[in-house]
């Protein structure tokens, strides 16, 4: 199915390249084709960046060093029964001590940009108050090492490790947390903005709000799977909608604080796991239905940020449980961003057009729909084309990064010491092919960050689900690039699907 449009697209790209050549002597046409040269089939545009992504809590370890405060994930991971096998992230991938080796590793696998997160409780151990210079120094050392290696730093300010002291005062249920986040964001833009040009604000609204504050049930192979995150609450609808509001408010306040405190020219925006509706069959009606569905499914997150309002359907569904808000809040939430990061793992739904008021009908995933190792991870690489394309068609977003994409696999080290992760390579190639379809069609995707550089602490799944391009032996901390790392290096070197 999905290969047909890809082929059609490639044919179009080949056609226009040929046209560009034959019309070269015609002044007007030659000028316009020179301004927007089309990449060769399979290639990404010039300047497209190739990166890997990680997050502080999942790799750093050293949870009690250099004055770091506790985060909600420390608390959660040490609560019996929450993490598979009773794992915790006290040591994780020991990156805090091994960051130099890890930067070298990135260089070896051809990484040009690195998306990492700053642990808020290393900088402000109690969330607010006096900054902790020793915690900040770690990120200075890391950025120094990256720049020396020619790798561009893309820090993320919030990847879920809320200081526990703020949780004790209400966490994201309180508007004060949004203000505290903005203060921390402004501080970081001042502290690192001389050498980092691009900041991601908040990672994944849905994961923070819904998974963290109620937990979700999803269906895989016809079976229900429950997923929960720290702080592990089960809020009412009203409570949950208020948390959702406070988190997007934090996004807007942080953008304002970064603009106020940071050097001119610093760019920022969120990194979100947008819920993407994919047209089940590519007809104009279904393509439109999928756009409508994506807009509605993200009404409390990206849609509110990009439109400065909650949709009528969102407010109607919330009814008396709608969040407390002011008109000023909506202005803050929609503070203009420079780019949008998308974490793409799977479609939220396949949809078709419908006569119903909503305009779309989601198709249930069949019981035999293939999935990757993680229980939630249904396979649907088309999301890599549709998510960025819908950002462009719905909201005319001008700069997009794929801030995460990857999969867990049952990686095994062979007797010869190699990890041949055929499924990850399959996953990667198919997702890149769909992304390339988007860039070839003029969707402004500026780069791709693979999740993840190396195996790490995968939240409630502990160390069982390995997402790395690099295998980590958690007993010895030895790193071994998997075959997928060689695939990544080749794709990055050629700037193409390989
Ligand atoms: C994303 C998270 C990231 C990682 C991947 C597998 O939702 O942002 O930290 O766990 O899933």
């Amino acid at each position: 199915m999905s290969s047909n449009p890809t082929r059609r697209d490639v044919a179009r790209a080949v056609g226009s390249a040929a046209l560009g050549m034959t019309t070269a002597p015609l002044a007007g046409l030659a000028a316009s084709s020179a301004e927007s040269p089309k990449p060769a089939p399979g290639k990404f545009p010039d300047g497209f960046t190739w990166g890997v992504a990680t997050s502080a809590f999942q790799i750093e370890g050293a949870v009690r060093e250099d004055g770091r405060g506790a985060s909600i994930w420390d608390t959660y991971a040490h609560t019996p029964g929450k993490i598979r096998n009773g794992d915790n992230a006290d040591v994780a991938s020991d990156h805090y001590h091994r960051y130099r080796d890890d930067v070298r590793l990135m260089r070896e696998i051809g990484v040009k940009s690195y998306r990492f997160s700053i642990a808020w409780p290393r900088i402000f151990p109690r969330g607010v108050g006096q900054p902790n210079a020793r915690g900040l120094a770690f990120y200075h050392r890391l950025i120094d090492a990256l720049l020396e290696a020619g790798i561009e730093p893309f820090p993320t300010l919030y990847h879920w490790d809320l200081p526990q002291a703020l949780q004790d005062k209400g966490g994201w249920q309180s508007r004060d947390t949004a203000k505290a986040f903005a203060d921390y964001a402004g501080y970081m833009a001042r502290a690192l903005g001389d050498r980092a040009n691009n900041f991601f604000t908040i990672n994944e609204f849905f994961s923070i709000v819904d998974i963290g504050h109620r937990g979700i049930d999803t269906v895989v192979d016809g079976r229900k799977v429950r997923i929960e995150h720290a702080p592990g609450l089960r809020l009412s609808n009203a409570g949950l909608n208020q948390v959702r509001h406070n988190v997007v408010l934090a996004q807007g306040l942080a953008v304002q604080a970064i603009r106020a405190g940071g050097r001119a020219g610093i760019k920022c925006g969120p990194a979100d796991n947008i819920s993407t509706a994919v047209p089940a069959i590519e007809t104009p009606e279904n393509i439109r239905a999928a756009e409508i569905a994506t807009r509605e499914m993200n009404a409390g997150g990206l849609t509110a940020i990009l439109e400065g309002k909650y949709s009528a359907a969102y407010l109607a569904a919330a009814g008396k449980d709608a969040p407390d808000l002011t008109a000023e809040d909506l202005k803050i939430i929609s503070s203009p961003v420079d780019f949008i990061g998308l974490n793409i793992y799977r479609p939220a739904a396949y949809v078709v057009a419908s006569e119903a008021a909503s305009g779309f009908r989601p198709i249930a995933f069949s019981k035999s729909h293939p999935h990757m190792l993680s229980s939630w991870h249904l396979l649907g690489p088309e999301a890599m084309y549709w998510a960025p394309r819908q950002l462009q068609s719905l909201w005319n977003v001008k700069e997009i990064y794929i801030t995460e994409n990857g999969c867990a696999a049952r990686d095994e080290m062979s007797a010869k010491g190699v990890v041949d992760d055929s499924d990850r390579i399959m996953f990667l190639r198919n997702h890149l092919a769909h992304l390339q379809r988007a860039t070839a069609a003029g969707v402004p995707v500026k780069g791709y960050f693979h999740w993840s550089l190396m195996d790490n602490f995968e939240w409630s799944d502990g160390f069982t689900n390995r997402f790395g391009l690099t295998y980590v032996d958690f007993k010895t901390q030895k790193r071994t690039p998997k075959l997928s790392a060689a695939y990544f290096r080749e794709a990055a070197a050629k700037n193409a699907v390989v």
Side-chain angles (χ1 to χ4, degrees):
M1 248 316 280
S2 62
S3 70
N4 287 339
T6 307
R7 264 188 233 124
R8 204 170 54 219
D9 229 61
V10 167
R12 202 186 301 137
V14 172
S16 53
L19 188 72
M21 277 164 61
T22 52
T23 56
L26 301 175
L29 280 175
S32 69
S33 65
E35 274 158 26
S36 54
K38 293 271 180 297
K43 279 214 107 170
F44 288 90
D46 288 348
F48 186 88
T49 195
W50 291 80
V52 288
T54 62
S55 87
F57 190 75
Q58 293 178 274
I59 62 167
E60 285 180 0
V63 291
R64 277 175 283 275
E65 263 173 72
D66 293 336
R68 176 187 181 277
S71 77
I72 54 173
W73 268 97
D74 294 286
T75 311
Y76 191 76
H78 282 278
T79 306
K82 294 299 186 194
I83 312 292
R84 222 200 276 194
N85 300 326
D87 291 341
N88 64 59
D90 290 359
V91 177
S93 312
D94 198 31
H95 172 75
Y96 195 77
H97 301 118
R98 295 168 195 265
Y99 70 94
R100 281 187 187 287
D101 296 341
D102 293 337
V103 171
R104 206 169 304 130
L105 185 64
M106 283 182 231
R107 241 192 112 151
E108 275 164 28
I109 63 182
V111 167
K112 311 279 188 295
S113 299
Y114 177 42
R115 173 177 179 245
F116 58 97
S117 83
I118 315 265
W120 182 353
R122 279 197 201 284
I123 310 297
F124 292 99
R126 301 192 55 76
V128 290
Q130 280 306 308
N132 169 33
R134 287 183 297 159
L136 179 63
F138 169 69
Y139 299 103
H140 278 306
R141 292 197 294 277
L142 174 62
I143 291 181
D144 285 344
L146 289 168
L147 294 178
E148 245 168 65
I151 298 172
E152 181 161 14
F154 280 73
T156 300
L157 297 171
Y158 186 68
H159 203 124
W160 309 353
D161 42 2
L162 185 74
Q164 179 63 42
L166 292 185
Q167 184 62 40
D168 297 342
K169 293 193 273 179
W172 290 111
Q173 290 173 266
S174 162
R175 282 173 81 95
D176 290 346
T177 296
K179 295 203 192 91
F181 177 65
D183 290 344
Y184 152 68
Y187 177 81
M188 292 314 303
R190 286 192 297 281
L192 302 181
D194 56 335
R195 290 169 310 144
N197 294 315
N198 301 289
F199 288 79
F200 292 108
T201 47
I202 294 181
N203 184 69
E204 298 194 350
F205 302 114
F206 179 78
S207 305
I208 296 168
V209 178
D210 297 75
I211 308 186
H213 293 79
R214 176 170 291 176
I216 58 162
D217 294 309
T218 175
V219 177
V220 179
D221 298 342
R223 279 194 310 266
K224 235 188 177 179
V225 180
R226 177 140 187 94
I227 304 176
E228 287 180 12
H229 280 170
L233 303 184
R234 297 201 175 189
L235 297 185
S236 64
N237 288 346
L240 201 63
N241 289 337
Q242 196 62 48
V243 166
R244 188 171 293 119
H245 182 72
N246 293 345
V247 171
V248 287
L249 186 65
Q251 153 69 29
L253 288 170
V255 170
Q256 297 188 350
I258 292 169
R259 306 262 190 252
R263 169 178 58 78
I266 287 182
K267 291 185 165 185
C268 65
D272 191 31
N273 56 335
I274 186 175
S275 292
T276 304
V278 166
I281 301 164
E282 290 191 17
T283 63
E285 295 74 22
N286 292 343
I287 289 172
R288 180 67 197 129
E291 280 178 348
I292 296 169
T294 295
R295 179 172 174 270
E296 267 327 319
M297 289 191 297
N298 297 281
L302 277 186
T303 306
I305 291 168
L306 293 166
E307 296 186 11
K309 61 178 197 288
Y310 290 118
S311 72
Y314 178 76
L315 290 174
K320 65 173 183 15
D321 297 323
D324 286 337
L325 59 91
T326 65
E328 180 60 18
D329 284 0
L330 294 174
K331 275 200 210 131
I332 295 170
I333 289 168
S334 56
S335 302
V337 297
D338 301 295
F339 45 65
I340 300 286
L342 296 177
N343 294 354
I344 306 288
Y345 288 91
R346 51 166 281 194
Y350 290 94
V351 303
V352 292
S354 155
E355 294 298 318
S358 66
F360 63 91
R361 180 171 72 84
I363 312 290
F365 282 98
S366 121
K367 285 190 179 148
S368 57
H369 195 99
H371 62 88
M372 307 305 291
L373 182 63
S374 303
S375 58
W376 50 266
H377 202 172
L378 294 169
L379 187 60
E382 310 90 336
M384 265 303 231
Y385 170 71
W386 287 104
R389 178 171 154 172
Q390 290 169 347
L391 276 194
Q392 185 189 39
S393 60
L394 281 168
W395 299 298
N396 197 19
V397 174
K398 293 284 195 300
E399 213 170 303
I400 301 167
Y401 287 94
I402 302 303
T403 31
E404 289 184 26
N405 167 250
C407 65
R410 199 162 284 138
D411 298 318
E412 277 171 21
M413 176 74 74
S414 77
K416 291 198 175 124
V418 299
V419 181
D420 285 337
D421 47 346
S422 61
D423 46 356
R424 185 171 290 104
I425 293 174
M426 173 281 290
F427 182 92
L428 194 42
R429 181 184 288 116
N430 280 287
H431 280 75
L432 289 177
H434 283 273
L435 185 61
Q436 197 275 335
R437 178 187 173 200
T439 56
V443 179
V445 182
K446 306 295 179 191
Y448 169 90
F449 293 87
H450 188 80
W451 185 273
S452 181
L453 166 66
M454 59 186 162
D455 297 339
N456 57 48
F457 179 81
E458 176 49 21
W459 311 113
S460 314
D461 282 325
F463 296 103
T464 310
N465 284 5
R466 295 173 174 272
F467 271 88
L469 293 174
T470 306
Y471 186 91
V472 176
D473 178 334
F474 290 105
K475 290 204 185 75
T476 61
Q477 292 294 345
K478 183 168 185 273
R479 276 76 160 132
T480 308
K482 304 172 191 175
L483 193 59
S484 56
Y487 177 89
F488 176 93
R489 187 180 50 216
E490 188 66 13
K494 299 248 165 68
N495 197 29
V497 185
V498 292

